[in-house]
Amino acid sequence: MKGIITALITPFHEDGTINEKGLKEIVRYNIDTMKVNGLYVGGSTSESFLMDEKQKQQLFALVKKEAGETVPLIAQIGSLHVEEAVRLGNEAKQLGYDALSAITPYYYKFSFQEIKAYYQRLTEETNHPMIIYSNPAFTGAQFSVDDYGELLAFPNVIGVKYTDTDLAKLAKLKQMHPDKIFFSGADEMLFPFAVSGADGAIGSTYNLIGKEAIQLYEAIQASDLKTARDVQSQMNQVIDYLLDVGVYQGIKHVFKQKGLDAGFMKFPFRELTEEEKKNVEKILGIIEK
Ligand SMILES: CC(=O)N[C@H](C=O)[C@@H](O)[C@H](O)[C@H](O)CO
Ligand SMILES: CC(=O)C(=O)O
């Protein structure tokens, strides 16, 4: 499991239920057109923290049904409610997901020992490959290199989705744990992360620029750093437009312009204004060149 993995968006109907037809279209687009190396389902990008347990199960089942065996699938099951996370993990395993991932428990400022106990329980009770999801900007949980080492020592922990900007830490982690998988989580920094030892990346923007990300990655493997840097600059023009309006909202609007049924946001996320839509449509001029 490596390379470029899309953190999938979820198309909703206006009433907050999943738009199944739209979801299928987005899954197909990622697999057939972007040709990404895998899908990360139920992350922030899927708006999964706004879903109840039943809806998360439905999302995992629908994506598996459409994707089949074509690409590796990762189910993000992290929830403050550990029993729910365990149930979701076992369900995803049963469905045939290749790995699980869980955001660090958030909101309360849990100690590292508490966070470690959470992963110990989750990995023991699901007994399936686990990718730690670290996103300090969203959760407040900051890990040292030694903390990561303790989590990576659990038998089922195969790697980290590292949504952090500390490159030196990532480079050190990869050096200390060469057999573990490190995914870069900041799409705007794919180039520096890939040259610093990341095995791949999991990100929201690959719904739209997965092809470019793969091109960047291949250029690095071929030691063509000039091409890789140029592709990153082009990607960052797209990412800047997305960040201006809200990444997930922006991705959905661009998909709609391309004729895909990307649906609505889940409440309380709002839809874009006409002016925001016009701005984000500038992306079409970049990705369709
Ligand atoms: C919190 C979040 O959604 N992070 C994503 C993945 O880790 C990224 O793909 C960002 O959306 C992207 O890098 C834009 O900043
Ligand atoms: C990519 C990402 O951060 C997510 O969907 O969780």
Side-chain angles (χ1 to χ4, degrees):
M1 203 174 309
K2 54 184 182 167
I4 302 301
I5 298 183
T6 296
L8 205 64
I9 61 140
T10 310
F12 291 97
H13 292 297
E14 216 168 350
D15 65 1
T17 56
I18 296 177
N19 175 339
E20 297 188 19
K21 172 181 156 281
L23 181 63
K24 280 187 197 168
E25 291 177 12
I26 302 301
V27 169
R28 288 258 65 86
Y29 184 81
N30 271 289
I31 296 174
D32 301 338
T33 306
M34 291 293 105
K35 296 190 165 46
V36 291
N37 307 116
L39 299 176
Y40 189 83
V41 187
S44 335
T45 310
S46 297
E47 300 169 69
S48 116
F49 298 102
L50 300 173
M51 293 183 190
D52 65 13
E53 184 175 348
K54 245 179 85 193
Q55 199 167 40
K56 293 181 208 177
Q57 285 170 346
Q58 186 196 1
L59 175 68
F60 291 149
L62 289 169
V63 173
K64 178 62 191 178
K65 193 167 161 214
E66 186 59 35
E69 303 295 321
T70 48
V71 292
L73 298 178
I74 305 167
Q76 198 294 122
I77 58 167
S79 159
L80 289 184
H81 195 237
V82 72
E83 292 88 351
E84 176 186 303
V86 168
R87 281 194 299 270
L88 286 169
N90 282 316
E91 182 96 13
K93 178 180 167 181
Q94 209 76 45
L95 283 167
Y97 275 71
D98 301 272
L100 308 175
S101 181
I103 189 68
T104 55
Y106 52 93
Y107 188 75
Y108 300 107
K109 294 194 169 25
F110 297 110
S111 69
F112 178 69
Q113 286 316 315
E114 289 166 329
I115 294 175
K116 189 177 161 187
Y118 174 92
Y119 282 111
Q120 179 163 15
R121 181 156 166 196
L122 203 49
T123 52
E124 280 176 5
E125 294 184 14
T126 52
N127 194 22
H128 204 46
M130 165 65 67
I131 297 164
I132 306 287
Y133 179 8
S134 174
N135 189 344
F138 274 37
T139 64
Q142 282 280 5
F143 296 152
S144 67
V145 169
D146 290 346
D147 293 341
Y148 276 116
E150 288 187 39
L151 298 178
L152 287 164
F154 287 131
N156 287 314
V157 174
I158 59 167
V160 177
K161 167 163 146 55
Y162 187 85
T163 300
D164 194 346
T165 49
D166 190 336
L167 265 174
K169 194 183 278 184
L170 185 276
K172 199 163 170 188
L173 282 167
K174 184 63 195 177
Q175 200 175 19
M176 291 171 72
H177 308 279
D179 299 335
K180 301 291 183 182
I181 312 168
F182 294 90
F183 290 105
S184 157
D187 308 359
E188 46 282 70
M189 294 180 72
L190 176 60
F191 172 69
F193 273 100
V195 293
S196 302
D199 301 280
I202 298 172
S204 58
T205 66
Y206 308 136
N207 281 282
L208 296 180
I209 48 174
K211 248 192 219 165
E212 286 79 359
I214 289 168
Q215 195 193 348
L216 186 161
Y217 214 76
E218 287 174 351
I220 287 173
Q221 269 151 359
S223 295
D224 181 0
L225 296 190
K226 164 136 192 4
T227 300
R229 207 166 49 222
D230 289 348
V231 175
Q232 180 80 72
S233 308
Q234 190 196 353
M235 286 171 62
N236 286 4
Q237 290 175 37
V238 172
I239 296 174
D240 280 346
Y241 281 123
L242 291 174
L243 286 169
D244 278 347
V245 299
V247 176
Y248 319 139
Q249 292 88 331
I251 292 170
K252 286 187 182 181
H253 185 66
V254 174
F255 268 144
K256 286 184 207 165
Q257 297 310 109
K258 294 171 80 67
L260 297 170
D261 191 1
F264 290 85
M265 297 296 294
K266 194 153 178 29
F267 183 82
F269 279 128
R270 64 166 177 84
E271 300 300 316
L272 300 182
T273 64
E274 290 310 311
E275 197 189 334
E276 287 169 332
K277 286 181 183 169
K278 262 214 277 345
N279 274 328
V280 86
E281 281 166 21
K282 292 180 189 144
I283 288 175
L284 290 163
I286 305 169
I287 60 179
E288 251 135 51
K289 262 189 281 188

